[in-house]
């Protein structure tokens, strides 16, 4: 029928999307029944179900998501996604756009990121996408030197969705990101403490895995750290580490000790972090924190390491590159003098905190990343339909019926 040019593509798209939802459910069943290791072979069999590019895209997406599960590899997910070829603004598959933004758009230009955010927001009007990607646009504004515009956009998001009782757990978790970022850039300690309290309450839900609860504890620690509640932050980070050994929390613990002027504790904590296991944002936070601690400790071997790392670090966001350059000047100066000036110490440990890349650069659309149980994920998959696409499909189907009636 397709080869003959019959107008059935809209019907095929409906079938592909419906079967794609079944693949989502199958992934849940394989996980829940302990057969997750067999899932790649199942995807291989499923790939032959429909001989069409739309279906192949669905399977490639699932294979990429497979590598984003805990213990997976983002580099392998990128390799899988590359099989789709060049992804442009003409792409109309929401899931493909989400995973592309997560995996490939991290180091692209501000304008290109904004264009893809806008494309996704146009296609998907769900509260979850609006919170995540309008929030992402606001964070980009912050990182590129426009904190006032970022504040306005985050405030608007919070006003719009804060009292939304139908917000899913994933959407609510992303709204906590908005609250935390807004509280940080406005230095609103009350909002930060309120967010930490809400995170604590959210932890009582039974939808979270240990990884998910660790995420919430880590975010609680970030709220308390930005509010300069050092002891509360330390307890939250330690709780996260107990759950899944989260490396970023070791870095933030070291930062807390630094601000408490417990330099030996800070040195011990930061030196114990296996840097080879850090992702890119985590590496940035590590180098910034390590550099600040090296200045305060005045240890020449630490200062030399910090200097080399800062020189090699590539920070594409202007805010983080400015931070890198400033720390490099202060580390070099301290290494040359053998002692840290009061200005160097003040610059290396500003009121806003040393680290922040790991939070600012998290735009994960995958649900493995934040640790929600598959039961909750499947409920969301069942609810998730493209409003715009569904309307197109409905109208296209009506056109087919009309054409058939004329014939």
């Amino acid at each position: 029928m397709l080869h003959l040019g019959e107008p059935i593509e809209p019907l095929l798209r409906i079938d592909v999307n419906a079967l794609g939802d079944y693949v989502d459910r199958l992934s849940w069943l394989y996980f829940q029944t302990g057969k997750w290791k067999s899932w790649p072979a199942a995807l291989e069999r499923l790939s032959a179900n429909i001989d069409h590019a739309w279906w192949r895209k669905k399977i490639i997406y699932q294979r990429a998501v497979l590598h984003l599960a805990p213990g997976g590899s983002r580099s392998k997910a990128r390799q899988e996604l590359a099989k789709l070829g060049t992804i442009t603004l003409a792409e109309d598959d929401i899931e493909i756009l989400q995973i592309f933004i997560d995996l490939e758009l991290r180091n692209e230009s501000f304008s290109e990121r904004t264009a893809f955010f806008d494309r996704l927001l146009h296609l998907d009007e769900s509260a979850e996408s609006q919170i995540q990607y309008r929030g992402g646009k606001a964070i980009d504004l912050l990182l590129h030197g426009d904190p006032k515009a970022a504040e306005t956009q985050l405030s608007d998001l919070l006003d719009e969705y804060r009292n939304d009782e139908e917000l899913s757990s994933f959407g609510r978790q992303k709204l906590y990101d908005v609250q935390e970022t807004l509280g940080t850039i406005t230095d609103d300690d009350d909002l930060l403490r309120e967010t930490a309290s809400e995170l604590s309450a959210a932890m009582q839900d039974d939808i979270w895995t240990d990884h998910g609860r660790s995420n919430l504890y880590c975010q609680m620690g970030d709220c308390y750290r930005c509010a300069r509640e050092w002891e509360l932050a330390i307890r939250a980070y330690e709780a996260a580490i107990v759950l899944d050994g989260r490396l970023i929390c070791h870095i933030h613990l070291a930062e807390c000790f630094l601000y408490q002027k417990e330099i030996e504790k800070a040195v011990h904590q930061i030196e114990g972090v296996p840097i080879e296991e850090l992702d890119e944002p985590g590496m940035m936070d590590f180098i910034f924190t390590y550099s600040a601690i090296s200045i305060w400790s005045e240890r020449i071997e630490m200062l030399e390491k910090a200097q080399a790392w800062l020189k090699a670090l590539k920070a594409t966001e202007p805010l983080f590159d400015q931070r890198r350059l400033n720390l490099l000047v202060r580390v070099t100066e301290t290494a040359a003098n053998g002692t840290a000036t009061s200005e160097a110490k003040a610059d290396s440990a500003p009121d806003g905190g040393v680290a922040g890349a790991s939070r600012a650069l998290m735009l994960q659309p995958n649900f493995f990343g934040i640790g929600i149980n598959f039961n909750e994920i499947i409920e969301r998959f069942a609810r998730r339909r493209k409003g715009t696409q569904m309307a197109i499909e409905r109208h296209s189907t009506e056109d087919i019926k009309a054409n058939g009636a004329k014939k």
Side-chain angles (χ1 to χ4, degrees):
M1 295 288 284
L2 286 167
H3 286 303
L4 289 171
E6 294 294 333
I8 65 167
E9 281 199 354
L11 297 177
L12 177 62
R13 185 179 285 275
I14 290 171
D15 283 348
V16 166
N17 286 337
L19 291 176
D21 288 342
Y22 285 142
V23 177
D24 291 334
R25 292 175 180 272
L26 271 174
S27 70
W28 170 70
L29 288 167
Y30 269 76
F31 185 85
Q32 293 289 62
T33 56
K35 297 182 177 180
W36 189 238
K37 290 182 179 179
S38 301
W39 183 231
L43 285 174
E44 182 63 29
R45 292 192 299 274
L46 289 168
S47 66
N49 277 16
I50 305 174
D51 185 17
H52 196 277
W54 293 339
W55 182 248
R56 287 192 288 274
K57 284 172 64 174
K58 294 285 186 186
I59 299 300
I60 289 171
Y61 166 79
Q62 289 288 345
R63 285 171 173 158
V65 168
L66 173 69
H67 293 301
L68 292 175
S73 165
R74 288 176 66 84
S75 64
K76 289 183 179 179
R78 288 191 183 95
Q79 291 170 16
E80 196 63 49
L81 192 66
K83 295 176 183 178
L84 291 176
T86 302
I87 295 172
T88 70
L89 289 171
E91 178 61 58
D92 62 358
D93 189 306
I94 290 173
E95 291 176 329
I96 297 297
L97 287 170
Q98 285 179 323
I99 201 167
F100 173 71
I101 288 172
D102 180 28
L103 291 174
E104 301 295 350
L105 220 60
R106 161 79 176 80
N107 293 319
E108 297 302 326
S109 68
F110 174 76
S111 60
E112 184 167 4
R113 285 171 61 84
T114 299
F116 273 95
F117 283 150
D118 287 342
R119 173 62 171 162
L120 187 53
L121 290 167
H122 172 72
L123 289 173
D124 188 359
E125 296 180 356
S126 70
E128 294 162 335
S129 279
Q130 293 296 311
I131 293 168
Q132 183 167 3
Y133 295 102
R134 281 166 60 186
K137 287 179 66 176
I139 290 172
D140 268 7
L141 286 168
L142 174 65
L143 298 179
H144 286 80
D146 196 346
K148 195 63 184 174
E151 179 185 338
T152 299
Q153 291 196 17
L154 292 170
S155 294
D156 289 346
L157 264 178
L158 196 55
D159 290 342
E160 188 172 345
Y161 291 104
R162 192 168 194 180
N163 297 317
D164 187 345
E165 295 182 356
E166 296 183 0
L167 206 58
S168 70
S169 299
F170 180 79
R172 183 65 58 187
Q173 199 271 347
K174 287 300 172 185
L175 198 61
Y176 296 144
D177 288 348
V178 171
Q179 290 179 209
E180 179 198 334
T181 306
L182 183 60
T184 300
I185 65 177
T186 59
D187 203 25
D188 187 339
D189 290 351
D190 289 337
L191 180 58
L192 289 166
R193 293 190 190 97
E194 183 180 349
T195 304
S197 178
E198 290 176 3
L199 286 162
S200 179
M203 218 174 298
Q204 307 311 310
D205 292 341
D206 60 3
I207 66 165
W208 304 104
T209 62
D210 283 349
H211 180 70
R213 285 193 170 83
S214 177
N215 258 321
L216 297 181
Y217 271 123
C218 187
Q219 194 168 359
M220 282 175 61
D222 291 342
C223 289
Y224 285 131
R225 175 169 54 89
C226 293
R228 293 167 287 276
E229 299 274 8
W230 308 117
E231 290 300 327
L232 290 173
I234 288 169
R235 288 209 294 271
Y237 289 137
E238 287 176 341
I241 291 169
V242 167
L243 284 169
D244 70 355
R246 181 155 308 218
L247 291 180
I248 195 65
C249 290
H250 287 284
I251 297 170
H252 292 327
L253 270 178
E255 183 180 353
C256 289
F257 293 140
L258 171 65
Y259 278 84
Q260 288 181 315
K261 295 185 172 57
E262 295 188 53
I263 308 305
E264 289 306 312
K265 277 189 177 182
V267 169
H268 177 74
Q269 189 67 230
I270 201 69
E271 290 279 24
V273 175
I275 60 173
E276 67 279 0
E277 296 180 22
L278 296 171
D279 59 13
E280 188 178 349
M283 178 65 77
M284 199 180 301
D285 275 355
F286 171 84
I287 292 173
F288 289 168
T289 305
Y290 191 97
S291 299
I293 293 171
S294 72
I295 290 170
W296 282 74
S297 72
E298 299 176 342
R299 296 187 182 188
I300 189 63
E301 68 278 6
M302 288 187 71
L303 289 162
E304 289 174 349
K305 283 184 185 178
Q307 189 176 36
W309 284 330
L310 287 166
K311 285 180 179 178
L313 181 64
K314 289 182 173 64
T316 57
E317 296 78 13
L319 182 68
F320 294 139
D321 196 46
Q322 182 181 356
R323 180 86 184 123
R324 179 187 72 85
L325 292 170
N326 186 48
L327 277 168
L328 182 56
V329 168
R330 293 305 188 183
V331 163
T332 303
E333 166 193 302
T334 304
N337 296 337
T339 58
T341 63
S342 56
E343 291 81 8
K345 288 183 175 181
D347 276 355
S348 65
D351 286 341
V354 175
S358 55
R359 292 295 306 158
L361 300 178
M362 272 191 68
L363 285 169
Q364 292 177 323
N366 70 87
F367 304 92
F368 302 102
I370 65 170
I372 291 181
N373 277 329
F374 264 84
N375 308 59
E376 176 69 13
I377 296 170
I378 290 303
E379 287 180 17
R380 183 187 183 269
F381 281 146
R383 294 193 302 269
R384 184 194 62 220
R385 298 293 292 176
K386 301 178 196 174
T388 304
Q389 181 176 307
M390 290 294 287
I392 292 171
E393 291 169 351
R394 184 174 63 253
H395 293 314
S396 299
T397 305
E398 289 170 356
D399 289 342
I400 292 169
K401 290 178 180 177
N403 289 335
K406 288 176 184 176
K407 289 180 182 179

